[in-house]
């Protein structure tokens, strides 16, 4: 597969495939709601958790849940990534996804639901620590922490539902362990990120390592949950396959985070939240800008040029990470067969992030 073909929309241009995955996302959303209802939470706590899960950008708040077909905006969401990982691990293609057994889709949706729940838990903790969420401002940190813990505990419970549908215990145990290992990496990255905010001397290597721990590990977790759920019922993959999947997802996570960091560092960037610049985040573009990319005397013009140079350098680095992901996917296909559903997630379209 050529580099150019890596960025074609692929199955997104097939109305039947889009409709099919739209339905799977809606089923996943319904699974999440029923899963939450089954926990017999206090009604007020249930309402707060649902409010979190219905925020803009989250599955329950997306147009696809209202019957609209998924679009490019859904490509990098946790649930869809888990579903695509599952069908890829099962070796499915465009012609065979509709023939996968019902039990497969139950497992895939359980993994996708777990990914959405743990992803939102991590996001909420990040909002609390960054003090940039209207939701947290309204209900207060104590209740927000309570909601985050509930979301975090709901994730493994959702994942365990996959055992009811032909998921071997060995795979279930491995997936649960991976959930804890990768989430621990995310929390470590979050800790380092907070520590760096108050430090003046931060290297590019430290900033990138933090991105790898937080975003790379999170995407790797989501992908592996989906991949493990795609196995079972006679389908198997060697350990090397999962290792390559993690490498692919790790690069994908770092690339997506760098794109977000670049977008947030652009001049005149406005947001309802505090920007990375206001929070003194040590993202790669802001770190490069602070270090100085050009040797001109300080003035308004040189400051603007310095910002542009930092953004340009960070963009080149992001493209390099993207190319690494493309290379890993090519290696994955060479060793384990075609993975057509993964190529569109490596698209360069900014609006997807």
């Amino acid at each position: 597969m050529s580099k150019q073909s890596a960025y074609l929309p692929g199955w997104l241009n097939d109305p039947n495939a889009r409709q099919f995955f739209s339905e799977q996302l809606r089923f996943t959303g319904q699974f999440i709601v029923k899963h939450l209802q089954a926990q017999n939470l206090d009604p007020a706590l249930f309402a707060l958790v649902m409010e979190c899960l219905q925020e803009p950008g989250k599955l329950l708040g997306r147009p696809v849940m209202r019957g609209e077909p998924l679009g490019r905006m859904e490509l990098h969401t946790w649930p869809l990534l888990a579903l695509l990982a599952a069908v890829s691990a099962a070796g499915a293609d465009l012609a065979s996804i509709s023939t996968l057994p019902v039990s497969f889709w139950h497992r895939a949706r359980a993994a996708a639901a777990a990914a959405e729940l743990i992803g939102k838990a991590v996001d909420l903790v990040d909002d609390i620590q960054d003090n940039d969420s209207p939701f947290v401002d309204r209900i207060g940190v104590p209740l927000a922490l309570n909601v985050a813990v509930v979301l975090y505990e709901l994730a493994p419970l959702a994942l365990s539902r996959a055992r009811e549908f032909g998921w071997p215990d060995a795979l279930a145990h491995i997936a649960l362990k991976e959930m804890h290992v990768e989430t621990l990496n995310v929390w470590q990255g979050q800790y380092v990120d907070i520590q760096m905010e108050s430090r003046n001397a931060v290297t590019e290597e430290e900033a990138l390592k933090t991105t790898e721990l937080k975003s790379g590990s999170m995407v790797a977790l989501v992908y592996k949950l989906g991949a493990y759920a795609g196995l079972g019922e006679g389908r198997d993959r060697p350990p090397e396959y999962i290792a390559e999947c993690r490498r692919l997802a790790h690069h994908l996570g770092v690339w997506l985070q760098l794109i977000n960091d670049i977008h947030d560092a652009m001049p005149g960037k406005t947001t309802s939240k505090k920007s990375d610049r206001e929070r003194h985040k040590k993202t790669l573009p802001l770190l490069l800008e602070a270090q100085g990319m050009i040797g001109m005397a300080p003035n308004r013009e040189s400051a603007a040029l310095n910002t542009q140079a930092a953004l340009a350098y960070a963009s080149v680095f992001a493209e390099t990470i993207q190319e690494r992901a493309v290379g890993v996917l090519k290696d994955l296909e060479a060793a384990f067969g075609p993975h057509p559903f993964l190529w569109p997630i490596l698209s360069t379209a900014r609006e997807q992030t």
Side-chain angles (χ1 to χ4, degrees):
M1 182 174 292
S2 69
K3 173 181 174 181
Q4 182 181 9
S5 66
Y7 305 127
L8 293 177
W11 60 268
L12 279 178
N13 277 350
D14 186 302
N16 292 329
R18 288 182 65 191
Q19 178 63 25
F20 187 85
F21 279 107
S22 298
E23 292 175 353
Q24 296 307 319
L25 285 175
R26 283 192 284 275
F27 289 147
T28 300
Q30 294 165 7
F31 175 99
I32 291 173
V33 174
K34 292 178 180 178
H35 177 57
L36 182 54
Q37 291 171 334
Q39 308 311 314
N40 296 315
L41 298 177
D42 178 272
L45 178 58
F46 175 89
L48 288 176
V49 175
M50 281 295 296
E51 183 179 345
C52 267
L53 293 172
Q54 292 172 330
E55 287 184 336
K58 301 307 173 187
L59 176 59
L60 296 185
R62 284 188 173 273
V64 70
M65 291 303 299
R66 300 190 293 272
E68 297 184 22
L70 70 86
R72 301 183 73 84
M73 293 290 288
E74 273 79 28
L75 271 181
H76 298 143
T77 58
W78 306 136
L80 184 58
L81 181 59
L83 293 175
L84 295 178
V87 296
S88 297
D93 57 21
L94 200 58
S96 63
I97 52 171
S98 61
T99 66
L100 290 167
V102 173
S103 55
F104 166 89
W105 288 110
H106 279 298
R107 294 197 307 273
R109 292 195 292 263
E116 178 75 352
L117 290 164
I118 201 166
K120 180 54 195 175
V122 169
D123 285 347
L124 183 52
V125 171
D126 185 73
D127 289 342
I128 294 169
Q129 292 175 327
D130 287 342
N131 189 28
D132 65 354
S133 165
F135 174 77
V136 176
D137 291 341
R138 180 170 60 80
I139 71 172
V141 169
L143 280 180
L145 282 172
N146 189 227
V147 172
V149 172
V150 169
L151 288 164
Y152 187 71
E153 294 297 334
L154 284 169
L157 291 175
L159 187 65
S160 69
R161 293 285 306 280
R163 290 188 177 188
E164 302 170 16
F165 303 100
W167 209 25
D169 285 343
L171 284 177
H173 287 308
I174 293 173
L176 184 60
K177 178 182 178 181
E178 294 286 5
M179 175 180 284
H180 291 301
V181 169
E182 295 292 5
T183 308
L184 184 58
N185 286 333
V186 174
W187 296 136
Q188 290 187 78
Q190 189 73 12
Y191 170 81
V192 175
D193 189 38
I194 294 171
Q195 293 294 311
M196 289 196 307
E197 288 183 24
S198 59
R199 289 173 48 195
N200 292 324
V202 174
T203 66
E204 294 177 32
E205 290 75 16
E206 288 176 313
L208 290 171
K209 180 63 176 178
T210 302
T211 301
E212 290 174 0
L213 282 171
K214 288 180 60 178
S215 301
S217 297
M218 186 65 213
V219 176
L221 164 61
V222 170
Y223 193 100
K224 285 191 289 186
L225 290 182
Y228 281 122
L231 303 178
E233 300 170 321
R235 297 180 181 84
D236 197 12
R237 294 283 192 177
E240 294 79 12
Y241 175 78
I242 299 296
E244 282 297 283
C245 287
R246 188 199 188 279
R247 199 157 66 97
L248 169 64
H250 181 85
H251 288 320
L252 177 64
V254 174
W255 170 57
L256 293 176
Q257 187 58 54
L258 285 173
I259 291 176
N260 282 335
D261 291 343
I262 292 167
H263 186 253
D264 198 66
M266 290 180 177
K269 167 65 177 174
T270 59
T271 176
S272 58
K273 298 181 178 181
K274 293 181 180 178
S275 68
D276 289 345
R277 193 181 300 276
E278 291 173 317
R279 296 198 305 268
H280 305 289
K281 289 284 188 181
K282 301 303 189 296
T283 65
L284 181 63
L286 292 180
L287 185 63
L288 293 169
E289 180 183 315
Q291 291 174 347
M293 298 291 293
I294 58 177
M296 295 174 60
N299 55 51
R300 181 175 298 181
E301 180 182 359
S302 65
L305 291 173
N306 182 56
T307 298
Q308 292 174 12
L311 292 171
Y313 182 93
S315 296
V316 170
F317 193 89
E319 291 173 4
T320 301
I321 299 298
Q322 181 195 24
E323 287 303 311
R324 290 177 186 173
V326 169
V328 174
L329 182 48
K330 288 181 179 179
D331 292 342
L332 194 66
E333 290 194 320
F336 302 104
H339 283 54
F341 294 103
L342 300 184
W343 285 105
I345 67 176
L346 293 173
S347 169
T348 56
R350 172 62 190 86
E351 64 269 16
Q352 293 175 20
T353 59

